[in-house]
Amino acid sequence: DIQMTQSPSSLSASVGDRVTITCRASQAISSSLAWYQQQPGKAPKSLIYAASSLQNGVPSKFTGSGSGTDFTLTISSLQPEDFATYYCQQYYSYPFTFGPGTKVDIK
Amino acid sequence: EVQLVESGGGFVQPGGSLRLSCAASGFSLSNHWMTWVRQAPQKGLEWLANITPDGSNINYVDSVKGRFTISRDTSKNLLYLQMNSLRAEDTAVYFCGRHRGPDLWGQGTQVTVSP
């Protein structure tokens, strides 16, 4: 199975900050990576697919990059609604696997 | 409106069974990969299974293989997850999603397995 890791596991940031979350796959997954945002008690929301493509309706402050084994999600100018947990997921090889999540909270 | 709505969750004893449903509206299941994902209390997301648009190919994570079955009724536009031999560790919120890396998620349905 492909193992997904994320760093950091949590971070504290202020409104207006730029934050970057890293996701690493245990083997190459091409660009078969998605990013999700999850608010407490809610369903995940898709942000990015194919490593860098923005889902319809997602603001351009979210940027995904990377290929192979190393990927990043960057949120420019953090807003109150962005404080949440972020997950990456590989859909290159079965079983598809998620990273453990990165919790972004308010400093 | 394009949406997914899960139902069928509840409380069940270990060894019991449940069938979850996922009603799709605004699009046809027969045109999309469909996925089940779960989230145990205070834990991360776990991919469980998916089914191809034509229903010809199904994949499962090892922890549910042989116990859970994904299926669909395209005439009703419903996705199912039949869960047998349930264990305490299956306690979670279960989500259905559209696509292999879901772009659309349902709101989730709670499954609790306890004596």
Side-chain angles (χ1 to χ4, degrees), chain B residues 6-10 20-21 36 92-96 106-111:
Chain B
E6 302 95 336
S7 60
L20 306 183
S21 298
W36 285 99
V93 176
Y94 286 72
F95 299 99
C96 61
Q107 85 288 352
T109 186
Q110 175 72 48
V111 172

Side-chain angles (χ1 to χ4, degrees), chain B residues 19 22-25 27-29 72-80:
Chain B
R19 188 178 79 163
C22 170
S25 54
F27 70 97
S28 173
L29 291 186
R72 77 235 173 106
D73 184 335
T74 54
S75 66
K76 297 179 180 178
N77 224 25
L78 285 170
L79 179 73
Y80 301 109

Side-chain angles (χ1 to χ4, degrees), chain B residues 1 3 7 19-20 25 38 40 54 57 63 70 86 89 92-93 100 102 107 109 111:
Chain B
E1 180 184 4
Q3 65 176 357
S7 60
R19 188 178 79 163
L20 306 183
S25 54
R38 70 182 176 186
D54 64 1
N57 196 8
S63 60
I70 186 172
L86 282 162
E89 55 265 36
V93 176
R100 292 176 297 168
Q107 85 288 352
T109 186
V111 172

Side-chain angles (χ1 to χ4, degrees), chain A:
Chain A
D1 297 3
I2 296 176
Q3 307 303 316
M4 305 300 292
T5 57
Q6 289 182 233
S7 61
S9 57
S10 65
L11 67 90
S12 294
S14 301
V15 172
D17 283 353
R18 174 187 176 97
V19 302
T20 297
I21 300 167
T22 297
C23 175
R24 178 164 290 172
S26 60
Q27 61 191 76
I29 60 170
S30 186
S31 296
S32 300
L33 185 102
W35 288 97
Y36 307 95
Q37 176 195 68
Q38 189 178 34
Q39 303 284 358
K42 301 291 188 182
K45 173 187 175 183
S46 178
L47 300 174
I48 301 283
Y49 66 97
S52 60
S53 296
L54 205 62
Q55 285 287 358
N56 288 342
V58 174
S60 57
K61 64 181 174 181
F62 293 96
T63 304
S65 65
S67 67
T69 60
D70 295 321
F71 303 86
T72 60
L73 173 70
T74 299
I75 312 169
S76 64
S77 189
L78 209 59
Q79 296 302 303
E81 62 270 20
D82 301 328
F83 292 94
T85 299
Y86 293 84
Y87 295 92
C88 61
Q89 182 210 6
Q90 66 83 15
Y91 51 93
Y92 180 81
S93 173
Y94 289 110
F96 296 166
T97 42
F98 289 88
T102 294
K103 185 176 181 180
V104 178
D105 61 23
I106 301 174
K107 184 183 289 183

Side-chain angles (χ1 to χ4, degrees), chain A residues 56, chain B residues 1-5 23-29 32 34 77 97-99 103-107:
Chain A
N56 288 342
Chain B
E1 180 184 4
V2 176
Q3 65 176 357
L4 295 168
V5 178
S25 54
F27 70 97
S28 173
L29 291 186
H32 297 276
M34 295 299 295
N77 224 25
R98 183 179 70 176
H99 291 163
D103 66 332
L104 177 69
W105 296 71
Q107 85 288 352

